[in-house]
Amino acid sequence: MLRSLIAIAFFLFAATSQLVAQGKGIRFWNLTTATISSFQLSPAGKDTWGANQTLNDKDKEVDHDERLRITNVEPGRYDAKVGYRGSKQCFVRDIEIKADAVFSIADKDLKDCSK
């Protein structure tokens, strides 16, 4: 019985340690006043846009004050293309993205908006 408890405790400790090591990943926090319907990243200054990250969300949009898991992006400096309902699109330049961290975009960060 004692061996079984020790084995279970060891397994739980190993599983928890592995989850902690993986971290929470990169997350985007929408601090703009509107719901984002499209969010793409490109290495800073390159204009080579990646996948629409809002597709990672269960409702495919990122509401105000909601966080979104960003996938297939390495830490570094990026430009963002932010799309809203009604075809409004804005850019945010030179965002620093760190591993296992949250980065945010607010209305004051949006530039070059067009409809």
Side-chain angles (χ1 to χ4, degrees):
M1 174 81 172
L2 182 58
R3 285 185 187 182
S4 295
L5 289 175
I6 291 172
I8 290 170
F10 178 77
F11 174 76
L12 290 175
F13 175 76
T16 302
S17 297
Q18 186 177 16
L19 289 175
V20 170
Q22 288 176 349
K24 290 187 176 185
I26 298 169
R27 286 140 3 256
F28 161 61
W29 187 7
N30 179 13
L31 295 179
T32 70
T33 54
T35 297
I36 294 173
S37 57
S38 175
F39 187 81
Q40 295 173 273
L41 293 168
S42 169
K46 300 287 185 186
D47 289 333
T48 54
W49 303 104
N52 180 2
Q53 295 285 333
T54 63
L55 299 178
N56 299 334
D57 189 69
K58 63 183 175 191
D59 68 358
K60 312 298 184 224
E61 294 184 317
V62 186
D63 298 323
H64 164 73
D65 199 31
E66 183 179 3
R67 294 182 188 195
L68 172 71
R69 181 172 296 275
I70 301 298
T71 60
N72 300 316
V73 172
E74 295 295 322
R77 298 203 79 79
Y78 290 86
D79 295 334
K81 186 189 310 185
V82 182
Y84 295 94
R85 296 179 191 156
S87 72
K88 177 182 176 183
Q89 183 174 280
C90 300
F91 294 90
V92 181
R93 303 289 182 192
D94 203 30
I95 302 165
E96 183 176 9
I97 295 179
K98 297 179 181 178
D100 296 323
V102 176
F103 69 95
S104 63
I105 293 175
D107 287 338
K108 66 180 178 55
D109 303 316
L110 301 173
K111 308 290 182 215
D112 304 321
C113 294
S114 64
K115 288 191 178 195

